[in-house]
Amino acid sequence: ETGVTQTPRHLVMGMTNKKSLKCEQHLGHNAMYWYKQSAKKPLELMFVYNFKEQTENNSVPSRFSPECPNSSHLFLHLHTLQPEDSALYLCASSQVGRGKGEQYFGPGTRLTVT
Amino acid sequence: DQQVKQNSPSLSVQEGRISILNCDYTNSMFDYFLWYKKYPAEGPTFLISISSIKDKNEDGRFTVFLNKSAKHLSLHIVPSQPGDSAVYFCAAGGGNTGNQFYFGTGTSLTVIP
């Protein structure tokens, strides 16, 4: 399944580093999402973009900064992260307005903050 | 506070038998429910969904049942196959939540050959 791709798949970064996660969807969808999955916790929605406009920001710390330059690409810029930010970061896309818009996920980026 | 709960972290079932995965939700405004399947090192993949206007939706070996009065949904897999071994997440949303869905913590299903 190559509908939603994410790079890198694994990332180790120090607390003072700056890095970016990239997501690309090839499904022609108009909404994109960032989720965080920590061990033993439900997927946590971080950001929602509908038609490239951010519509949801679920109280995410400012050290996470999303960017959606077009409806196919989504970035998550990371800086001065904390060890508790180590998690699997999942990107998803959906088609809002057609049906209920099932979300299609990428494989995730496994982030470790040291 | 978790709006979607999967109270069984794991389930083991013999091959050929029925697997039943359960999910409870708290928000009565939810009107669309989904099940996702996740293999290790992959993202969740959409499996089956149900709208609140229905109480059952079937797709091959997979059937989802919705009990709105109990705010409960379940996923039945029959017959279970070893390839069904994965983590299953339920999600709920719609209504007044727009395109935001709330996920459970997942149930790890192991189908024993």
Side-chain angles (χ1 to χ4, degrees), chain B residues 40-90:
Chain B
E42 295 182 14
T45 55
F46 170 70
L47 191 58
I48 191 169
S49 63
I50 187 166
S51 163
S52 61
I53 62 173
K54 294 185 174 182
D55 54 18
K56 176 183 173 181
N57 188 27
E58 191 172 348
D59 183 1
R61 297 185 297 112
F62 302 91
T63 304
V64 56
F65 294 91
L66 176 63
N67 182 333
K68 290 184 289 293
S69 60
K71 298 195 190 71
H72 177 85
L73 66 154
S74 61
L75 175 69
H76 292 210
I77 306 172
V78 57
S80 301
Q81 300 173 354
D84 297 329
S85 298
V87 178
Y88 289 79
F89 293 95
C90 69

Side-chain angles (χ1 to χ4, degrees), chain A residues 9 31 33 35 37 40-43 45 48 50 56 58 88 90 94 96 100-107, chain B residues 2 4 31-32 34 36 38 41-46 49 89 93-95 97 99-105:
Chain A
R9 293 294 306 275
Y33 312 79
Y35 285 88
Q37 184 179 23
K40 304 275 194 280
K41 287 188 175 181
L43 268 68
L45 180 64
V48 179
N50 285 323
E56 296 284 343
N58 288 355
L88 180 68
L90 290 160
S94 71
V96 176
K100 278 293 186 176
E102 293 85 11
Q103 294 176 13
Y104 291 81
F105 287 82
Chain B
Q2 262 183 262
V4 178
D31 65 359
Y32 200 64
L34 308 96
Y36 285 84
K38 184 180 184 302
E42 295 182 14
T45 55
F46 170 70
S49 63
F89 293 95
T97 67
N99 55 327
Q100 178 167 342
F101 285 89
Y102 295 86
F103 285 78
T105 49

Side-chain angles (χ1 to χ4, degrees), chain B residues 5-36:
Chain B
K5 294 181 181 178
Q6 293 177 257
N7 292 318
S8 297
S10 63
L11 174 69
S12 290
V13 171
Q14 206 70 34
E15 180 179 3
R17 299 287 187 104
I18 184 170
S19 296
I20 300 176
L21 297 98
N22 294 303
C23 178
D24 298 293
Y25 61 95
T26 58
N27 189 340
S28 58
M29 297 298 291
F30 289 152
D31 65 359
Y32 200 64
F33 307 87
L34 308 96
W35 283 95
Y36 285 84

Side-chain angles (χ1 to χ4, degrees), chain A residues 3 11 15 26 49 54 66 70 75-76 96 105 107:
Chain A
L11 178 63
M15 289 190 284
H26 309 272
Y49 277 83
Q54 184 176 317
N70 56 61
F75 295 90
L76 187 62
V96 176
F105 287 82

